[in-house]
Amino acid sequence: MLSPFQRECYIMAKPVGASCNLACHYCYYAKPQRESMDLSMLERFIQQYIAMQTTGHVLFTWHGGEPMLQSLDFYHKAIEFQRKYSDGRHIENCIQTNGTLLTPEWCKFLHANQWLVGISIDGTEQMHNAYRLNRHGRPSWQRVMEGIRMMQQYGVEWNAMATVHSANVGKPLQFYRFFKQIGCQYLQFTPIVESDGHNLLPCAVKPLEWGQFCCDIFDEWVRKDVGKVFVQLFDATLANWVGETPGVCSLAEECGHAGIIEANGDVYSCDHFVYPEYRLGNIREHTLIELMYGEQQSRFSAKKRVELPKQCRECQWLFACHGECPKNRFIDNSDTGTNYLCAGYKKFFSHVAPQMDIMANLYRQGLPPANIMASYLA
């Protein structure tokens, strides 16, 4: 039996594995094989995933590759199985897509079933098309924008998931204002820190560039958009400032609460660690409860905290950063790996600290953090 003090675990489902119709230069998940989850595996996953939850709310996240390479019939069956095994729980769904395969039929389905859509788009046409190309090397931005307009037409709820790379990191305000211009209210942006196994890719960001990018967007956001535009990094930073668990695992004290399931039923510790040593098992042989709350995953979760280098443990921003994502800890020092983005995060946290203090105090008084904007109007 699960302890009531154990945290909730989530699984990202990959119904077509790494299969994708795009060939983004920075993709960390590319694999040669094409996979497809069959209906028996789908039903097994849904039954086990619902049974694993310890609250009355269950969130399914459909990921890829490109999950819309699966048929709509597959997702209609997913809803049937969710209803069959819900046992009174409230079920929600989120699908993360590159947006190029959206059609009116997809939009009708998404709206009718109240699915949230996360759209991968890296900013303006020039920013996006620098690295997000299709399998034939052609740009994808126009098709993504058609998909966004289609979702808006059909009333589909969506948010934007952008990567920050060498083609947009130097234009933070143009990047941020683009998303506001297209009606985006929920924005997540993630720095590209990928390598070829030996050297960082040309599209990767430099640490201080990343820090300045975040600072410049924050300065505009805190003056004009708090409570209007929700930026994941800023929300997560404020959560750490008030002592709550952030909504993004990279800034949490421990990770390991968000595993993935491949199309064949294999479960891995994390989407960024789909390697043999991080395979937890297969749900045909073990339950998700056994895999996600087992000893191997517990060790993976604690490793982020336990293996912090000395400079992190002594850093004034430890409470806000927690060493960030372990996949980015590859700069050697006398202790253990230091996060590649460390200098950028230090720049960001020191820059936003005065405003974070004000918003944290407002929050503790039961007042909206958005009240901070009034001080800029005075």
Side-chain angles (χ1 to χ4, degrees):
M1 175 179 285
L2 293 179
S3 162
F5 299 104
Q6 284 181 296
R7 66 187 170 188
E8 202 75 24
C9 285
Y10 301 91
I11 300 287
M12 289 196 302
K14 295 181 177 285
V16 293
S19 301
C20 190
N21 61 321
L22 297 188
C24 303
H25 291 192
Y26 49 70
C27 182
Y28 62 87
Y29 193 62
K31 289 182 177 181
Q33 72 270 25
R34 182 178 178 86
E35 300 176 285
S36 183
M37 184 179 286
D38 61 37
L39 294 184
S40 64
M41 179 59 69
L42 174 65
E43 182 172 13
R44 184 186 296 262
F45 162 63
I46 288 174
Q47 181 181 16
Q48 291 191 19
Y49 185 61
I50 292 175
M52 184 179 78
Q53 306 304 316
T54 59
T55 70
H57 176 268
V58 184
L59 174 64
F60 283 84
T61 300
W62 306 96
H63 206 274
E66 174 45 57
M68 286 188 178
L69 287 172
Q70 264 290 11
S71 68
L72 260 176
D73 288 340
F74 175 90
Y75 293 105
H76 279 292
K77 290 298 295 185
I79 289 174
E80 288 183 25
F81 293 142
Q82 288 172 352
R83 289 171 179 163
K84 178 179 178 181
Y85 295 108
S86 66
D87 193 25
R89 293 179 173 90
H90 176 68
I91 308 290
E92 292 185 354
N93 288 275
C94 170
I95 188 166
Q96 300 183 14
T97 174
N98 61 44
T100 62
L101 301 178
L102 282 163
T103 62
E105 291 71 31
W106 264 107
C107 289
K108 290 174 185 176
F109 168 84
L110 296 166
H111 174 72
N113 294 286
Q114 298 181 306
W115 281 33
L116 172 65
V117 180
I119 289 283
S120 296
I121 178 169
D122 288 353
T124 66
E125 185 170 10
Q126 184 180 15
M127 295 173 182
H128 179 94
N129 287 338
Y131 300 116
R132 294 189 66 81
L133 307 175
N134 66 19
R135 291 287 174 186
H136 304 288
R138 298 193 183 100
S140 63
W141 186 85
Q142 289 286 356
R143 186 65 191 91
V144 178
M145 288 301 298
E146 289 173 14
I148 290 174
R149 287 189 287 268
M150 197 181 305
M151 288 194 298
Q152 291 170 331
Q153 177 185 349
Y154 284 91
V156 177
E157 186 178 356
W158 65 282
N159 57 32
M161 307 174 69
T163 60
V164 182
H165 46 64
S166 58
N168 59 16
V169 70
K171 302 173 182 177
L173 294 184
Q174 184 182 354
F175 170 93
Y176 178 59
R177 290 168 184 170
F178 163 79
F179 285 104
K180 291 202 293 182
Q181 181 183 6
I182 65 172
C184 174
Q185 290 183 292
Y186 297 88
L187 174 60
Q188 172 184 340
F189 49 79
T190 305
I192 291 297
V193 184
E194 301 299 331
S195 73
D196 59 9
H198 302 283
N199 301 299
L200 284 173
L201 298 179
C203 55
V205 298
K206 295 180 174 62
L208 290 177
E209 286 181 335
W210 163 245
Q212 190 63 53
F213 176 91
C214 297
C215 291
D216 288 350
I217 293 178
F218 179 85
D219 286 347
E220 177 146 326
W221 175 82
V222 79
R223 287 171 170 80
K224 300 178 180 179
D225 299 322
V226 184
K228 301 174 186 176
V229 179
F230 297 88
V231 181
Q232 186 187 54
L233 173 62
F234 304 158
D235 289 347
T237 301
L238 182 57
N240 276 335
W241 233 264
V242 299
E244 295 189 357
T245 302
V248 56
C249 56
S250 61
L251 298 186
E253 184 176 12
E254 292 191 355
C255 53
H257 66 283
I260 73 151
I261 182 169
E262 292 275 19
N264 66 355
D266 283 345
V267 178
Y268 289 83
S269 292
C270 172
D271 189 35
H272 291 282
F273 291 88
V274 186
Y275 307 112
E277 61 267 35
Y278 296 102
R279 180 181 177 273
L280 300 175
N282 190 288
I283 64 169
R284 293 194 189 277
E285 301 154 2
H286 305 279
T287 68
L288 283 173
I289 291 177
E290 292 171 327
L291 298 176
M292 289 302 295
Y293 290 102
E295 185 176 340
Q296 182 179 345
Q297 186 67 351
S298 295
R299 288 197 303 270
F300 175 84
S301 176
K303 188 176 181 181
K304 177 180 181 179
R305 170 179 49 80
V306 171
E307 295 190 357
L308 277 174
K310 181 180 180 182
Q311 73 174 66
C312 287
R313 295 195 302 269
E314 296 177 351
C315 179
Q316 71 180 109
W317 306 119
L318 175 61
F319 75 96
C321 174
H322 298 293
E324 211 250 356
C325 183
K327 79 178 181 67
N328 295 331
R329 295 181 186 174
F330 54 76
I331 297 179
D332 293 332
N333 59 19
S334 58
D335 197 350
T336 59
T338 298
N339 196 293
Y340 167 77
L341 295 168
C342 177
Y345 276 109
K346 284 182 176 179
K347 182 181 184 70
F348 171 66
F349 293 132
S350 61
H351 180 79
V352 305
Q355 292 90 345
M356 283 293 168
D357 287 341
I358 293 171
M359 288 190 288
N361 286 331
L362 287 168
Y363 176 83
R364 294 186 186 103
Q365 295 172 48
L367 299 172
N371 285 3
I372 191 175
M373 293 187 294
S375 63
Y376 294 102
L377 299 175

